[in-house]
Amino acid sequence: MNPRLILPDSRSGRYVLLVLGPTLLAWLYLVLFAANGYVSRAQVMVEKDSTIPAAAGAELALGLLNVGGGKSRQDALLVQEFMRSRTMLEYLDAQLGLRQHFSAPKVDFIGHLASDADQEEFLEFYREKLMVTIDDDSLILSVDFVAFDPDFAQKVASKLVERSEGFVNEVSRQAALEQLSFVEDQVRQANGRLKQASREMIDLQRRNEVFSPEKETEAVGQILAELEAELAKQRTQLKALGGYLNPTAPDMIAVRQRVQALEAQVAQERARMVGNQGGGLNDLMLAYQDADVSVRLATEVYKAALATLETTRLDSVRKVKYLISVDKPSRPDSAELPRVLYWTLTVFVFLNLAYFVMSLIIATIEDHKE
């Protein structure tokens, strides 16, 4: 198709038709027909409670969730996504009639929501009217909401902040309850381990009929030392008597019998101490020490779990995280949208670029024909 059949012959005529005309139409639409957009602004921040003291031994409490003070980017992102979510849209629509406001009959046929728009289109339109940004340094969320009425824009922004605060409280409380349930389970397990270790200690004492192997070993060692001292004394006496008495003399026989009796007693006490192929007091003392360490360790873990449980119970009945309103939703004094000069210049520049490209195409086509 010949471009001259479509476009005016003169270059100025084509420029007016393709650039100045559409730019004028865009300007007329922005000035006469486009609905005014009023922006309500607010700033909020998620804060964590740092007033709860840490319980003694809480470090031993099996990796509990961190509920200390400070700000988290993850919390800010969570609030940002919740504000842009379908759940928030449905809440605002039920509370304020958001769909009705944006789809009310207006001269602006482009900027309003279609009356028959489905939920996905409604959500996309809502997200176009809402801007939530996060400051990288302070983690403050800046909320901007655009509506066709200044009072309505402020109401929507206020409901956004109010519902987000409730959402943060719900998530915080649910996390605290889940943490409490986890800690209670750890306390039950620690209590069970303590009872099991105590039962094993008692069974060990009952089987060997010994309350404290350490004291028993100490007593046997003392007896053995006394017996060995007496045995050495009797051996010395036997050797002295052998120097001038006959081996069959009554005194020699008596001393020899005492030596034999002492040797048998010493052997018996040594066997009791070290045992024959194990089973002596030293083995019993080692088993007792292992059982005692188990009881002590289970006791410390149980104490730490109890201390953490008390702290977690305190956390669960207070707001661990909460939303701070840094700047309350504002009521706009004037319409910020549409940005007539910005969009008019944007359309003008774009059309000039398109006109330049089209002129090159037309010139190329004419050159080929010649």
Side-chain angles (χ1 to χ4, degrees):
M1 181 179 294
N2 191 344
R4 295 182 179 276
L5 298 178
I6 302 176
L7 302 176
D9 293 337
S10 65
R11 179 176 298 178
S12 60
R14 290 196 298 267
Y15 187 79
V16 169
L17 179 64
L18 297 177
V19 178
L20 296 183
T23 302
L24 178 62
L25 291 176
W27 179 81
L28 289 174
Y29 165 74
L30 292 172
V31 173
L32 301 178
F33 301 105
N36 291 331
Y38 297 87
V39 183
S40 178
R41 292 185 171 87
Q43 289 185 327
V44 295
M45 178 176 62
V46 181
E47 187 65 55
K48 293 182 180 180
D49 194 349
S50 59
T51 61
I52 302 174
E59 308 82 30
L60 198 58
L62 307 175
L64 299 176
L65 298 174
N66 177 24
V67 294
K71 296 181 285 292
S72 168
R73 182 171 180 82
Q74 184 177 2
D75 296 331
L77 290 172
L78 182 63
V79 174
Q80 181 188 48
E81 290 305 313
F82 178 71
M83 287 185 173
R84 293 170 46 83
S85 67
R86 182 191 295 269
T87 301
M88 178 63 83
L89 173 62
E90 293 174 350
Y91 170 78
L92 294 175
D93 190 30
Q95 293 290 320
L96 301 174
L98 207 61
R99 179 186 286 270
Q100 181 180 359
H101 174 79
F102 285 121
S103 62
K106 291 181 177 67
V107 178
D108 185 3
F109 57 91
I110 297 177
H112 80 287
L113 177 67
S115 57
D116 58 346
D118 58 25
Q119 198 67 10
E120 290 297 328
E121 294 172 338
F122 186 24
L123 178 61
E124 183 178 355
F125 186 89
Y126 163 73
R127 289 175 175 174
E128 291 175 357
K129 300 299 181 182
L130 174 66
M131 179 177 293
V132 184
T133 57
I134 302 174
D135 184 84
D136 292 333
D137 297 326
S138 62
L139 298 181
I140 293 177
L141 289 92
S142 298
V143 183
D144 295 354
F145 188 79
V146 183
F148 299 146
D149 178 81
D151 293 324
F152 189 81
Q154 185 181 31
K155 289 180 181 179
V156 173
S158 299
K159 286 293 183 181
L160 272 165
V161 174
E162 178 184 336
R163 182 65 187 93
S164 298
E165 182 178 6
F167 170 73
V168 170
N169 292 341
E170 291 171 8
V171 172
S172 176
R173 182 63 55 82
Q174 182 63 31
L177 292 176
E178 290 178 359
Q179 181 179 351
L180 178 61
S181 176
F182 171 77
V183 175
E184 288 176 341
D185 181 63
Q186 296 303 313
V187 169
R188 286 191 293 269
Q189 293 184 23
N191 187 32
R193 287 193 292 268
L194 177 58
K195 290 181 178 179
Q196 179 64 26
S198 299
R199 282 194 295 267
E200 291 177 356
M201 171 69 79
I202 294 173
D203 291 342
L204 180 65
Q205 292 171 337
R206 286 177 178 173
R207 286 196 308 270
N208 296 276
E209 297 181 351
V210 174
F211 177 75
S212 175
E214 292 181 355
K215 294 183 179 180
E216 188 77 12
T217 301
E218 183 179 351
V220 172
Q222 184 176 358
I223 293 172
L224 184 58
E226 293 176 356
L227 288 175
E228 287 180 340
E230 183 63 24
L231 176 60
K233 180 180 178 182
Q234 293 298 323
R235 283 176 175 171
T236 302
Q237 185 178 0
L238 179 62
K239 186 175 182 181
L241 291 175
Y244 60 88
L245 292 179
N246 191 301
T248 59
D251 290 341
M252 286 287 293
I253 294 174
V255 174
R256 191 181 297 113
Q257 289 176 347
R258 284 197 298 270
V259 169
Q260 292 175 352
L262 286 170
E263 288 175 345
Q265 186 66 27
V266 167
Q268 181 179 350
E269 295 300 329
R270 284 179 177 173
R272 183 182 175 190
M273 178 73 75
V274 300
N276 295 320
Q277 298 180 352
L281 283 174
N282 54 353
D283 294 326
L284 177 60
M285 186 170 63
L286 182 60
Y288 180 85
Q289 288 175 347
D290 291 341
D292 184 61
V293 168
S294 298
V295 172
R296 291 176 183 272
L297 179 60
T299 301
E300 291 300 320
V301 172
Y302 184 58
K303 288 180 179 179
L306 284 177
T308 305
L309 178 60
E310 292 304 316
T311 302
T312 308
R313 281 177 176 168
L314 180 61
D315 294 348
S316 64
V317 297
R318 64 189 301 171
K319 293 192 296 185
V320 180
K321 297 179 184 177
Y322 47 92
L323 197 68
I324 297 177
S325 182
V326 180
D327 189 11
K328 295 183 179 180
S330 62
R331 183 189 183 279
D333 296 327
S334 60
E336 295 186 22
L337 302 175
R339 299 163 63 184
V340 178
L341 181 61
Y342 171 80
W343 285 113
T344 301
L345 290 176
T346 300
V347 171
F348 179 71
V349 171
F350 174 78
L351 291 177
N352 272 281
L353 291 175
Y355 176 79
F356 175 74
V357 173
M358 184 173 291
S359 298
L360 290 178
I361 294 175
I362 293 175
T364 302
I365 294 175
E366 291 179 348
D367 289 344
H368 279 78
K369 285 186 175 182
E370 294 177 357

